[in-house]
Amino acid sequence: YIYLIADGVYFNVKNPVRKNRRCVLVIYGIKSSGQREIIDFYVAPHGESQSAWEKLLYSLYYRGLEGKQLRLIVRDGNKGLKNALENVFPTVEQQLCWAHKLRNVANKIPKHIQDTCISQARTIYKADSYDEGLKLFKSWYKSWELAAPEAVKCLNEDIYDLLNFL
């Protein structure tokens, strides 16, 4: 695999007495051929903790996924996952997921300007280079810092981790 995508997915599971929320940690891989597949998953009894992520990642590592060919691992902002990846695959670059981040940014924007602001923010990850991505971000920042300051702050705090793929 050259890319991994890691995320926790939550499901509501019903039993006769009550409804429980279950977390499934999922690792998705992409090969150099472009083939995509779910590599493994783990039902985490206590959610997305660092130890739960380490259990899943070390399981992959000991089964042969040592990360020597990995170029990038895409993740959300979960601290447990970030720390686990740093422990198991310390030499592999991490990339924050744009979809997750833009959802967080959108939640901080008034509804009447949300579509325009997010549409303009999407141009950042479509850049051809890291420098162009930073330039587009700075332009977006200036355009929206007065109308949506919390959204700008949210994207600004992670912009460098969002551009690793470039």
Side-chain angles (χ1 to χ4, degrees), residues 81-96:
L81 174 55
K82 179 182 181 190
N83 294 337
L85 287 169
E86 288 172 355
N87 288 339
V88 181
F89 300 114
T91 61
V92 181
E93 285 284 334
Q94 294 184 34
Q95 165 72 39
L96 273 175

Side-chain angles (χ1 to χ4, degrees), residues 9-61:
V9 182
Y10 289 83
F11 298 96
N12 289 322
V13 179
K14 295 180 184 178
N15 69 30
V17 179
R18 64 175 183 241
K19 182 170 69 171
N20 290 326
R21 196 160 149 87
R22 294 280 189 217
C23 178
V24 179
L25 308 181
V26 181
I27 304 289
Y28 184 82
I30 303 173
K31 296 181 177 182
S32 58
S33 66
Q35 180 182 352
R36 304 166 184 211
E37 57 191 23
I38 293 176
I39 302 170
D40 204 355
F41 63 92
Y42 169 64
V43 179
H46 304 294
E48 294 186 73
S49 67
Q50 181 176 337
S51 62
W53 275 112
E54 284 178 349
K55 182 174 182 168
L56 177 58
L57 293 168
Y58 275 122
S59 167
L60 292 173
Y61 183 88

Side-chain angles (χ1 to χ4, degrees), residues 98 120-127 133 136-137 140 155 159 163:
W98 273 93
Q120 289 178 12
R122 283 191 184 105
T123 64
I124 299 165
Y125 68 78
K126 295 178 182 177
L136 288 167
F137 167 71
W140 178 85
L155 192 56
I159 192 62
L163 296 177

Side-chain angles (χ1 to χ4, degrees), residues 124 126-137 166:
I124 299 165
K126 295 178 182 177
D128 291 326
S129 69
Y130 186 86
D131 290 337
E132 183 186 347
L134 277 179
K135 184 179 175 182
L136 288 167
F137 167 71
L166 293 172

Side-chain angles (χ1 to χ4, degrees), residues 2 13 30 79 82 115 117 143 153:
I2 56 172
V13 179
I30 303 173
K79 300 286 188 225
K82 179 182 181 190
D115 289 343
C117 183
S143 296
K153 180 181 174 186

